[in-house]
Short mmCIF file of all heavy atoms in Angstrom, two decimals:
data_model
loop_
_atom_site.label_atom_id
_atom_site.label_comp_id
_atom_site.label_asym_id
_atom_site.label_seq_id
_atom_site.Cartn_x
_atom_site.Cartn_y
_atom_site.Cartn_z
N GLY A 189 -16.80 13.94 39.44
CA GLY A 189 -15.79 14.67 38.62
C GLY A 189 -16.32 14.54 37.23
O GLY A 189 -17.46 14.59 37.01
N GLY A 190 -15.37 14.57 36.26
CA GLY A 190 -15.75 14.54 34.82
C GLY A 190 -16.71 13.33 34.44
O GLY A 190 -17.75 13.48 33.82
N LEU A 191 -16.33 12.17 34.92
CA LEU A 191 -17.22 10.94 34.78
C LEU A 191 -18.42 11.00 35.60
O LEU A 191 -19.50 10.77 35.18
CB LEU A 191 -16.34 9.72 35.03
CG LEU A 191 -15.24 9.35 34.09
CD1 LEU A 191 -14.45 8.13 34.56
CD2 LEU A 191 -15.71 9.11 32.68
N GLY A 192 -18.25 11.25 36.90
CA GLY A 192 -19.34 11.16 37.89
C GLY A 192 -20.49 12.08 37.60
O GLY A 192 -21.71 11.72 37.72
N HIS A 193 -20.17 13.30 37.12
CA HIS A 193 -21.25 14.23 36.85
C HIS A 193 -22.10 13.78 35.69
O HIS A 193 -23.29 13.96 35.62
CB HIS A 193 -20.75 15.70 36.83
CG HIS A 193 -20.43 16.14 35.41
ND1 HIS A 193 -19.36 15.81 34.68
CD2 HIS A 193 -21.12 17.09 34.63
CE1 HIS A 193 -19.36 16.43 33.51
NE2 HIS A 193 -20.46 17.19 33.47
N MET A 194 -21.46 13.14 34.63
CA MET A 194 -22.13 12.55 33.61
C MET A 194 -22.94 11.39 33.98
O MET A 194 -24.05 11.15 33.58
CB MET A 194 -21.17 12.18 32.40
CG MET A 194 -20.56 13.27 31.68
SD MET A 194 -21.73 14.57 30.99
CE MET A 194 -22.80 13.51 30.11
N GLY A 195 -22.46 10.52 34.94
CA GLY A 195 -23.16 9.49 35.48
C GLY A 195 -24.43 9.86 36.10
O GLY A 195 -25.49 9.15 35.97
N VAL A 196 -24.39 10.93 36.91
CA VAL A 196 -25.55 11.39 37.58
C VAL A 196 -26.65 11.84 36.49
O VAL A 196 -27.83 11.44 36.57
CB VAL A 196 -25.26 12.68 38.40
CG1 VAL A 196 -26.43 13.36 38.92
CG2 VAL A 196 -24.41 12.23 39.68
N LYS A 197 -26.22 12.43 35.45
CA LYS A 197 -27.16 13.08 34.39
C LYS A 197 -27.83 11.76 33.79
O LYS A 197 -29.00 11.82 33.46
CB LYS A 197 -26.44 13.92 33.55
CG LYS A 197 -26.07 15.23 34.07
CD LYS A 197 -25.39 16.14 32.99
CE LYS A 197 -24.97 17.47 33.61
NZ LYS A 197 -24.63 18.52 32.53
N PHE A 198 -27.03 10.81 33.39
CA PHE A 198 -27.60 9.68 32.63
C PHE A 198 -28.54 8.83 33.52
O PHE A 198 -29.56 8.50 33.12
CB PHE A 198 -26.44 8.76 32.02
CG PHE A 198 -25.83 9.25 30.82
CD1 PHE A 198 -24.47 9.38 30.73
CD2 PHE A 198 -26.58 9.77 29.81
CE1 PHE A 198 -23.88 9.88 29.58
CE2 PHE A 198 -26.02 10.26 28.59
CZ PHE A 198 -24.64 10.31 28.46
N ALA A 199 -28.04 8.60 34.75
CA ALA A 199 -28.96 7.79 35.68
C ALA A 199 -30.32 8.45 35.89
O ALA A 199 -31.31 7.82 35.87
CB ALA A 199 -28.22 7.57 36.95
N ARG A 200 -30.22 9.73 36.02
CA ARG A 200 -31.45 10.51 36.15
C ARG A 200 -32.38 10.31 34.92
O ARG A 200 -33.52 10.19 34.96
CB ARG A 200 -31.27 11.98 36.48
CG ARG A 200 -32.45 12.88 36.72
CD ARG A 200 -33.14 12.51 38.04
NE ARG A 200 -34.34 13.25 38.26
CZ ARG A 200 -34.51 14.12 39.27
NH1 ARG A 200 -33.52 14.32 40.13
NH2 ARG A 200 -35.65 14.81 39.43
N ALA A 201 -31.74 10.55 33.66
CA ALA A 201 -32.42 10.46 32.46
C ALA A 201 -33.02 9.07 32.20
O ALA A 201 -34.07 8.99 31.61
CB ALA A 201 -31.53 10.84 31.30
N PHE A 202 -32.42 8.01 32.83
CA PHE A 202 -32.92 6.66 32.65
C PHE A 202 -34.06 6.32 33.56
O PHE A 202 -34.65 5.30 33.53
CB PHE A 202 -31.73 5.65 32.81
CG PHE A 202 -30.79 5.56 31.76
CD1 PHE A 202 -29.47 5.33 32.02
CD2 PHE A 202 -31.21 5.65 30.44
CE1 PHE A 202 -28.48 5.27 30.96
CE2 PHE A 202 -30.36 5.52 29.35
CZ PHE A 202 -28.87 5.28 29.66
N GLY A 203 -34.38 7.34 34.49
CA GLY A 203 -35.45 7.19 35.37
C GLY A 203 -35.13 6.53 36.75
O GLY A 203 -36.02 6.23 37.51
N ALA A 204 -33.91 6.36 37.03
CA ALA A 204 -33.52 5.77 38.30
C ALA A 204 -33.58 6.72 39.51
O ALA A 204 -33.58 7.97 39.23
CB ALA A 204 -32.14 5.15 38.33
N HIS A 205 -33.55 6.27 40.71
CA HIS A 205 -33.41 7.07 41.93
C HIS A 205 -31.87 7.15 42.05
O HIS A 205 -31.22 6.16 42.23
CB HIS A 205 -34.13 6.44 43.08
CG HIS A 205 -33.92 7.27 44.40
ND1 HIS A 205 -34.82 8.32 44.70
CD2 HIS A 205 -32.99 7.27 45.35
CE1 HIS A 205 -34.41 8.95 45.89
NE2 HIS A 205 -33.37 8.19 46.20
N VAL A 206 -31.42 8.33 41.98
CA VAL A 206 -29.98 8.53 41.99
C VAL A 206 -29.34 9.06 43.28
O VAL A 206 -29.84 10.10 43.81
CB VAL A 206 -29.62 9.62 40.83
CG1 VAL A 206 -28.05 9.72 40.63
CG2 VAL A 206 -30.27 9.20 39.48
N VAL A 207 -28.39 8.47 43.78
CA VAL A 207 -27.69 8.86 44.94
C VAL A 207 -26.19 9.06 44.65
O VAL A 207 -25.48 8.19 44.09
CB VAL A 207 -27.75 7.76 46.08
CG1 VAL A 207 -27.03 8.32 47.40
CG2 VAL A 207 -29.20 7.44 46.40
N LEU A 208 -25.66 10.29 44.99
CA LEU A 208 -24.35 10.57 44.67
C LEU A 208 -23.43 10.47 45.88
O LEU A 208 -23.94 10.92 46.98
CB LEU A 208 -24.18 11.99 44.16
CG LEU A 208 -22.86 12.60 43.63
CD1 LEU A 208 -21.97 13.09 44.78
CD2 LEU A 208 -22.09 11.62 42.70
N PHE A 209 -22.40 9.76 45.81
CA PHE A 209 -21.45 9.58 46.93
C PHE A 209 -20.23 10.48 46.75
O PHE A 209 -19.51 10.45 45.71
CB PHE A 209 -20.96 8.23 47.12
CG PHE A 209 -22.05 7.25 47.47
CD1 PHE A 209 -22.75 6.60 46.48
CD2 PHE A 209 -22.38 7.02 48.78
CE1 PHE A 209 -23.76 5.61 46.80
CE2 PHE A 209 -23.37 6.13 49.20
CZ PHE A 209 -24.09 5.47 48.17
N THR A 210 -19.85 11.33 47.80
CA THR A 210 -18.75 12.19 47.60
C THR A 210 -18.07 12.29 49.03
O THR A 210 -18.73 12.18 50.05
CB THR A 210 -19.13 13.60 47.05
OG1 THR A 210 -18.07 14.51 47.08
CG2 THR A 210 -20.22 14.26 48.04
N THR A 211 -16.78 12.61 48.94
CA THR A 211 -16.06 12.81 50.20
C THR A 211 -16.15 14.33 50.60
O THR A 211 -15.72 14.71 51.67
CB THR A 211 -14.53 12.48 50.05
OG1 THR A 211 -14.00 13.27 48.99
CG2 THR A 211 -14.32 10.96 49.75
N SER A 212 -16.63 15.13 49.69
CA SER A 212 -16.69 16.62 49.92
C SER A 212 -18.06 17.16 50.17
O SER A 212 -18.96 17.20 49.22
CB SER A 212 -16.18 17.27 48.62
OG SER A 212 -14.94 16.78 48.16
N PRO A 213 -18.37 17.59 51.44
CA PRO A 213 -19.64 18.21 51.78
C PRO A 213 -19.98 19.29 50.89
O PRO A 213 -21.23 19.69 50.59
CB PRO A 213 -19.50 18.58 53.25
CG PRO A 213 -18.37 17.71 53.75
CD PRO A 213 -17.46 17.50 52.59
N ASN A 214 -19.00 20.11 50.32
CA ASN A 214 -19.27 21.25 49.49
C ASN A 214 -19.89 20.87 48.23
O ASN A 214 -20.17 21.83 47.37
CB ASN A 214 -18.10 22.22 49.42
CG ASN A 214 -16.93 21.50 48.78
OD1 ASN A 214 -16.96 20.41 48.40
ND2 ASN A 214 -15.80 22.24 48.66
N LYS A 215 -19.92 19.61 47.85
CA LYS A 215 -20.46 19.21 46.48
C LYS A 215 -21.84 18.81 46.56
O LYS A 215 -22.51 18.45 45.53
CB LYS A 215 -19.63 18.08 45.89
CG LYS A 215 -18.25 18.42 45.44
CD LYS A 215 -17.56 17.32 44.68
CE LYS A 215 -16.17 17.82 44.16
NZ LYS A 215 -15.49 16.76 43.44
N VAL A 216 -22.48 18.87 47.81
CA VAL A 216 -23.92 18.39 47.87
C VAL A 216 -24.82 19.07 46.99
O VAL A 216 -25.67 18.43 46.34
CB VAL A 216 -24.30 18.41 49.39
CG1 VAL A 216 -25.84 18.18 49.48
CG2 VAL A 216 -23.46 17.43 50.27
N GLU A 217 -24.86 20.41 47.06
CA GLU A 217 -25.78 21.23 46.28
C GLU A 217 -25.64 21.13 44.81
O GLU A 217 -26.56 20.98 44.03
CB GLU A 217 -25.75 22.78 46.77
CG GLU A 217 -26.21 22.98 48.12
CD GLU A 217 -27.63 22.40 48.41
OE1 GLU A 217 -28.48 22.56 47.62
OE2 GLU A 217 -27.77 21.76 49.44
N ASP A 218 -24.32 20.98 44.34
CA ASP A 218 -24.13 20.87 42.96
C ASP A 218 -24.63 19.50 42.45
O ASP A 218 -25.06 19.37 41.36
CB ASP A 218 -22.58 21.05 42.64
CG ASP A 218 -22.31 21.81 41.43
OD1 ASP A 218 -23.21 22.67 41.02
OD2 ASP A 218 -21.34 21.67 40.82
N ALA A 219 -24.36 18.48 43.28
CA ALA A 219 -24.82 17.18 42.92
C ALA A 219 -26.43 17.11 42.62
O ALA A 219 -26.85 16.57 41.69
CB ALA A 219 -24.41 16.21 43.92
N LYS A 220 -27.09 17.79 43.49
CA LYS A 220 -28.48 17.90 43.41
C LYS A 220 -28.92 18.82 42.12
O LYS A 220 -29.85 18.38 41.52
CB LYS A 220 -29.13 18.41 44.68
CG LYS A 220 -29.07 17.42 45.87
CD LYS A 220 -29.69 18.06 47.15
CE LYS A 220 -29.72 17.09 48.28
NZ LYS A 220 -30.21 17.60 49.56
N ARG A 221 -28.18 19.79 41.88
CA ARG A 221 -28.47 20.55 40.71
C ARG A 221 -28.25 19.74 39.43
O ARG A 221 -29.02 19.83 38.48
CB ARG A 221 -27.46 21.77 40.66
CG ARG A 221 -27.60 22.60 39.36
CD ARG A 221 -26.45 23.67 39.30
NE ARG A 221 -25.21 23.13 39.22
CZ ARG A 221 -24.58 22.71 38.11
NH1 ARG A 221 -25.23 22.71 36.91
NH2 ARG A 221 -23.39 22.28 38.08
N LEU A 222 -27.32 18.82 39.43
CA LEU A 222 -27.01 17.93 38.32
C LEU A 222 -28.05 16.86 38.16
O LEU A 222 -28.10 16.16 37.13
CB LEU A 222 -25.64 17.47 38.44
CG LEU A 222 -24.51 18.44 38.25
CD1 LEU A 222 -23.17 17.84 38.71
CD2 LEU A 222 -24.32 18.83 36.79
N GLY A 223 -28.80 16.57 39.20
CA GLY A 223 -29.88 15.51 39.07
C GLY A 223 -29.89 14.46 40.19
O GLY A 223 -30.80 13.61 40.20
N ALA A 224 -29.00 14.57 41.13
CA ALA A 224 -29.01 13.58 42.23
C ALA A 224 -30.17 13.82 43.06
O ALA A 224 -30.45 14.86 43.43
CB ALA A 224 -27.79 13.58 43.13
N HIS A 225 -30.91 12.71 43.47
CA HIS A 225 -32.04 12.83 44.43
C HIS A 225 -31.51 12.95 45.95
O HIS A 225 -32.13 13.62 46.70
CB HIS A 225 -32.98 11.61 44.34
CG HIS A 225 -33.71 11.49 43.08
ND1 HIS A 225 -33.18 10.76 41.95
CD2 HIS A 225 -34.79 12.04 42.59
CE1 HIS A 225 -33.99 10.81 40.91
NE2 HIS A 225 -35.02 11.57 41.33
N GLU A 226 -30.42 12.23 46.09
CA GLU A 226 -29.80 12.27 47.44
C GLU A 226 -28.32 12.32 47.24
O GLU A 226 -27.77 11.89 46.26
CB GLU A 226 -30.12 10.96 48.23
CG GLU A 226 -31.57 10.72 48.52
CD GLU A 226 -31.73 9.33 49.23
OE1 GLU A 226 -31.19 9.24 50.37
OE2 GLU A 226 -32.37 8.48 48.69
N VAL A 227 -27.64 12.83 48.27
CA VAL A 227 -26.24 12.89 48.38
C VAL A 227 -25.75 12.43 49.61
O VAL A 227 -26.16 12.78 50.77
CB VAL A 227 -25.69 14.38 48.10
CG1 VAL A 227 -24.08 14.46 48.07
CG2 VAL A 227 -26.20 15.01 46.81
N VAL A 228 -24.78 11.52 49.57
CA VAL A 228 -24.20 10.85 50.87
C VAL A 228 -22.66 11.29 50.94
O VAL A 228 -21.87 11.19 49.96
CB VAL A 228 -24.21 9.33 50.68
CG1 VAL A 228 -23.47 8.72 51.96
CG2 VAL A 228 -25.67 8.95 50.76
N VAL A 229 -22.35 11.97 51.99
CA VAL A 229 -20.92 12.15 52.27
C VAL A 229 -20.30 10.89 52.78
O VAL A 229 -20.64 10.39 53.96
CB VAL A 229 -20.72 13.28 53.25
CG1 VAL A 229 -19.23 13.59 53.60
CG2 VAL A 229 -21.35 14.63 52.79
N SER A 230 -19.46 10.25 51.99
CA SER A 230 -19.00 8.91 52.19
C SER A 230 -18.07 8.74 53.43
O SER A 230 -17.98 7.61 53.92
CB SER A 230 -18.22 8.38 50.97
OG SER A 230 -17.25 9.20 50.66
#
Side-chain angles (χ1 to χ4, degrees):
L191 291 176
H193 96 287
M194 291 305 308
V196 169
K197 292 184 180 192
F198 282 132
R200 182 70 184 243
F202 286 143
H205 180 84
V206 186
V207 182
L208 186 279
F209 293 93
T210 178
T211 57
S212 308
N214 62 0
K215 289 189 176 180
V216 171
E217 291 309 312
D218 221 27
K220 290 181 177 178
R221 175 186 65 82
L222 292 164
H225 294 93
E226 300 179 61
V227 182
V228 173
V229 178
S230 55

